[in-house]
């Protein structure tokens, strides 16, 4: 290469008084192709016929050739009987890595064993832009890594004591804190600080990316619709069902229509129940069958069969189990035939770093400072799946195709999974393969 360059420079210097012709200026640059000849091939003849020249050796007995028209050279070579294969020498780039400083701690996105292969999914183009994910949880909490991605929302907690805002349902979805005193929610219930659970879940779905701050979410340009249903003592069936219907765009008596209906609903909540309550199943049916919203729910954290937990045992939902950093079923996670897929839920013991890192607040009761913290649970696994669904739907929009139906979403999620330990449904959700399937689907 150095000899050739020196010769070229010498020619140019000798011809400085004579301008290059237009044809010479427009001559295309050489492109490289990889070719493997069969044993006994007429290699020299093939190079001449394909108008290529040898550049370097490749692997497996193949070699790199240079051509002014790679497409035509490949066609000519492949038409010969003495060529095993000929293909472009593709150029690969580094996978998308955000500048968020805590990205290296978000193993659940990128590690080879326990991660969901998020960077390769982003490389396919989608970011969740234009998609709305309803986080049906404790409500909205301001955070510099999340606030810009909140949109709309509503407070469905009808019990003023649970809500801590002095009234029942209202248009303010702000999380007032779910702290409680000992025995406040029944004899023997322990005191606890506020969890800011909805904020942690929302951050996994859609924390801002490339803002040089904190963490990133799975679908960092999606919008989160905060639907507040969980308060001091949890949430009632009636409130949760109403929140589901409203989040998807359905009508709820006494509540204004949702101007920001979501096609993905995240329910990182649940409780024991031998069967899915009719009120809850009807709400899910409305969201799924009428409004074509995909409903993603947590399997539960009692290390029992998820068939005994709800909404994990409801029909038409994507019941999500949890894996640890080694892609094993997390020790606390519910299991069984009800589980569709798993996602990273983490194990914070013995090391907090093995949990799922996301946005949080450090106020023990009311909101205080914005922080980041590792949590564990199927609640943390569920928003991974909801975020991937948002990526899949954005990919459909980018292709000019119709959004996937909830049934199609589930089919592609289950068909394209990473290996995981037993009792994790079809396996560990694979963001890249799921997005690629969404792109390829008719």
């Amino acid at each position: 290469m150095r000899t050739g360059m020196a010769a070229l420079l010498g020619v140019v210097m000798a011809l400085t008084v004579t301008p290059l012709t237009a044809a010479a200026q427009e001559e295309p640059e050489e492109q490289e192709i990889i070719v493997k000849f069969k044993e006994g091939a007429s290699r020299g003849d093939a190079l001449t016929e394909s108008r290529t020249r040898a550049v370097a050796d490749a692997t497996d007995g193949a070699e790199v050739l240079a051509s002014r028209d790679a497409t035509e050279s490949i066609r000519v070579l492949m038409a010969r009987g003495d060529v095993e294969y000929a293909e472009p020498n593709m150029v690969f780039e580094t996978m998308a890595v955000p500048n968020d400083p805590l990205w290296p701690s978000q193993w659940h996105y990128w590690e080879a064993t326990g991660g969901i292969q998020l960077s390769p999914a982003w490389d396919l183009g989608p970011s969740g832009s234009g998609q709305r994910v309803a986080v049906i949880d404790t409500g909205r909490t301001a955070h510099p890594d999340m606030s810009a991605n909140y949109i709309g929302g509503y407070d469905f907690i009808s019990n003023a004591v649970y809500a801590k805002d002095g009234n029942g349902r209202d248009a303010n979805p702000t999380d007032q804190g779910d702290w409680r005193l000992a025995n406040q929610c029944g004899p023997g219930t322990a005191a606890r600080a506020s969890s800011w659970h909805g904020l942690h879940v929302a951050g996994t779905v859609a924390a801002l990316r490339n803002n040089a701050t904190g963490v990133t979410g799975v679908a960092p340009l999606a919008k989160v619709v905060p639907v507040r249903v969980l308060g001091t003592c949890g949430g009632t069936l009636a409130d949760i069902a109403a929140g589901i219907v409203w989040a998807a765009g359905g009508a709820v008596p006494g509540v204004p229509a949702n101007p920001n209906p979501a096609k993905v609903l995240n329910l990182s909540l649940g409780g024991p129940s031998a069967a899915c309550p009719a009120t809850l199943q009807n709400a899910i049916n409305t969201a799924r069958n009428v409004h074509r919203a995909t409903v993603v729910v947590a399997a539960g954290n009692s290390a029992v069969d998820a068939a005994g937990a709800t909404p994990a045992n409801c029909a038409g939902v994507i019941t999500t189990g949890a894996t640890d950093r080694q892609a094993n079923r997390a020790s606390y996670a519910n299991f069984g035939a009800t589980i569709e897929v798993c996602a990273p839920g983490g194990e914070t013991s013995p090391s907090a770093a093995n949990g799922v890192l996301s946005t949080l607040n450090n106020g023990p009761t009311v909101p205080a400072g914005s922080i980041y913290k590792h949590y564990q649970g199927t609640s943390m696994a569920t928003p991974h799946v909801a975020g991937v669904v948002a990526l899949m739907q954005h990919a459909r929009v980018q292709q000019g195709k119709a959004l996937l139906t909830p049934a199609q979403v589930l089919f592609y999620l289950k068909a394209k999974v990473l290996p995981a330990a037993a009792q994790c449904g079809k396996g560990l959700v694979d963001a890249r393969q799921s997005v690629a399937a969404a792109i390829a689907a008719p």
Side-chain angles (χ1 to χ4, degrees):
M1 288 297 291
R2 289 185 177 179
T3 302
M5 182 61 74
L8 177 59
L9 288 173
V11 171
V12 173
M13 290 173 66
L15 299 176
T16 53
V17 295
T18 305
L20 293 172
T21 64
Q25 290 174 330
E26 295 173 2
E27 188 173 9
E29 294 183 1
E30 285 188 328
Q31 302 164 300
E32 293 184 348
I33 60 178
I34 302 175
V35 179
K36 185 174 183 181
F37 293 100
K38 296 180 180 178
E39 186 176 352
S42 300
R43 181 179 172 282
D45 177 60
L47 295 181
T48 300
E49 183 182 358
S50 62
R51 303 181 67 180
T52 59
R53 65 180 181 87
V55 175
D57 292 329
T59 58
D60 191 33
E63 56 185 294
V64 180
L65 308 181
S67 169
R68 296 289 184 187
D69 186 344
T71 301
E72 176 62 14
S73 294
I74 289 172
R75 186 193 68 77
V76 171
L77 288 165
M78 289 301 294
R80 296 174 60 92
D82 56 359
V83 173
E84 186 173 323
Y85 63 81
E87 59 190 8
N89 190 14
M90 297 172 61
V91 176
F92 292 82
E93 298 180 4
T94 57
M95 292 185 290
V97 177
N99 64 19
D100 305 80
L102 295 180
W103 168 261
S105 297
Q106 294 186 283
W107 60 266
H108 38 99
Y109 293 158
W110 55 265
E111 277 194 348
T113 300
I116 64 169
Q117 304 304 305
L118 183 56
S119 284
W122 288 340
D123 284 338
L124 296 177
S127 59
S129 178
Q131 303 305 303
R132 292 187 288 268
V133 179
V135 173
I136 301 172
D137 213 291
T138 63
R140 168 180 178 156
T141 304
H143 194 288
D145 222 5
M146 186 62 228
S147 291
N149 276 347
Y150 282 125
I151 185 170
Y154 206 83
D155 177 6
F156 277 90
I157 301 178
S158 52
N159 185 309
V161 176
Y162 284 17
K164 285 191 167 72
D165 59 3
N167 56 30
R169 295 178 179 178
D170 59 53
N172 180 7
T174 300
D175 188 345
Q176 306 293 331
D178 58 356
W179 59 275
R180 68 189 185 200
L181 303 174
N183 302 312
Q184 184 175 356
C185 298
T189 56
R192 72 175 184 195
S194 291
S195 67
W196 313 113
H197 188 273
L199 173 58
H200 199 280
V201 170
T204 299
V205 173
L208 296 171
R209 181 181 65 182
N210 286 333
N211 62 338
T213 301
V215 298
T216 184
V218 174
L221 290 185
K223 297 297 183 183
V224 167
V225 181
V227 181
R228 188 173 184 236
V229 298
L230 302 178
T232 298
C233 298
T236 68
L237 174 59
D239 290 346
I240 293 169
I244 291 170
V245 171
W246 183 88
V252 175
V255 177
N258 181 5
N260 305 291
K263 291 300 182 185
V264 188
L265 276 53
N266 187 103
L267 282 85
S268 290
L269 51 79
S273 178
C276 181
T279 300
L280 189 56
Q281 187 65 67
N282 290 340
I284 291 167
N285 292 346
T286 298
R288 184 180 190 274
N289 302 333
V290 178
H291 301 286
R292 294 167 62 92
T294 299
V295 184
V296 188
V297 307
N301 302 327
S302 301
V304 298
D305 194 320
T310 198
N313 58 6
C314 294
V317 299
I318 300 177
T319 301
T320 304
T323 51
D324 63 15
R325 197 164 181 171
Q326 289 72 45
N328 301 311
R329 180 182 68 85
S331 60
Y332 53 79
N334 286 356
F335 50 83
T338 303
I339 309 296
E340 303 286 7
V341 293
C342 277
E347 292 261 20
T348 56
S349 179
S351 172
N354 293 333
V356 171
L357 184 63
S358 188
T359 47
L360 208 69
N361 193 279
N362 65 2
T365 54
V366 298
S370 295
I371 59 170
Y372 302 89
K373 190 171 181 178
H374 294 88
Y375 270 3
Q376 69 174 28
T378 56
S379 283
M380 286 57 256
T382 306
H384 283 79
V385 176
V388 170
V389 176
L391 293 181
M392 294 168 70
Q393 299 292 32
H394 182 209
R396 297 288 292 179
V397 173
Q398 290 179 317
Q399 295 292 311
K401 297 178 179 180
L403 295 181
L404 298 172
T405 66
Q408 289 174 316
V409 167
L410 178 58
F411 175 80
Y412 291 122
L413 282 173
K414 292 174 67 173
K416 307 292 182 179
V417 293
L418 293 160
Q423 301 180 318
C424 256
K426 288 295 183 179
L428 178 63
V429 67
D430 185 330
R432 186 187 72 83
Q433 291 281 14
S434 296
V435 169
I439 291 172

